[in-house]
Amino acid sequence: MRVINTISALLALAPFASLGLTVPPLTGRFPSTLAPRGSKQYCYNGPNTVAGTTFTDRPDVEPEAPTSQTLIWCTPNTQTYISLLYARPLSVAHAWNTIEHVVDEAWASTNQEITTGGDRVIATGEWSYEDGGVEVYFENTNNHQQTWGVVGAALIALEQYFQMTQAAGAQPGAIIFDVFDGANQVGNGTFGEA
């Protein structure tokens, strides 16, 4: 009798077994660049700092051209970092001064939001800034919400990464990235042609 009850229970639950085996579809505009999370990750611009802890070291970076490897870039004096991947070169029409302008103006916009309303959650769950045919885009992920301060810190990390690649003589490039606030991935984004 007990075997029959066990078999009946298994048969009743069988339709639900496939739910645990499905792979959720990718959402958003891009795939995640998240590296495996099993071990500690260190800041590329501060090799002695564990990503997600407060980065107080002086940035220690030699100019280097972009590679196809995921890179962890930490924002000084915060626990914010980005995991970024160089996707492709931008068209020649987008010079470094355009890239710098977009990042600087996007940061000024986030700073204005903080000045007028405080550091708060981005209500729509996504935000972008576009100018000169170049756009930076952020969206929430992993059931977390980004604040204006975290997006501003991520923009500082992007700017520093771009400064390094420019110093190496590289052409401006499109980037996909994940945004972390401490141990939590709170968003992802893109930087590239609008």
Side-chain angles (χ1 to χ4, degrees), residues 36-117:
R37 301 285 294 170
S39 61
K40 290 182 183 177
Q41 298 180 67
Y42 291 85
C43 304
Y44 181 85
N45 55 330
N48 295 323
T49 302
V50 175
T53 62
T54 303
F55 176 46
T56 56
D57 294 342
R58 186 167 172 241
D60 180 23
V61 179
E62 293 292 321
E64 184 178 318
T67 69
S68 61
Q69 299 295 315
T70 300
L71 187 134
I72 305 296
W73 199 280
C74 300
T75 304
N77 302 314
T78 72
Q79 293 182 358
T80 303
Y81 69 97
I82 58 175
S83 172
L84 65 90
L85 183 64
Y86 178 86
R88 68 183 179 289
L90 294 177
S91 70
V92 179
H94 300 295
W96 278 112
N97 60 354
T98 303
I99 305 309
E100 291 169 7
H101 170 76
V102 169
V103 174
D104 289 346
E105 291 299 314
W107 181 85
S109 180
T110 62
N111 195 45
Q112 182 63 32
E113 289 287 342
I114 294 169
T115 300
T116 59

Side-chain angles (χ1 to χ4, degrees), residues 2 134 145 155:
R2 185 173 225 182
V134 176
Q145 297 177 321
L155 286 164

Side-chain angles (χ1 to χ4, degrees), residues 155-177:
L155 286 164
I156 291 170
L158 271 177
E159 181 175 47
Q160 291 177 347
Y161 170 76
F162 284 140
Q163 289 170 347
M164 179 197 67
T165 58
Q166 181 183 18
Q171 180 180 343
I175 305 294
I176 58 175
F177 55 89

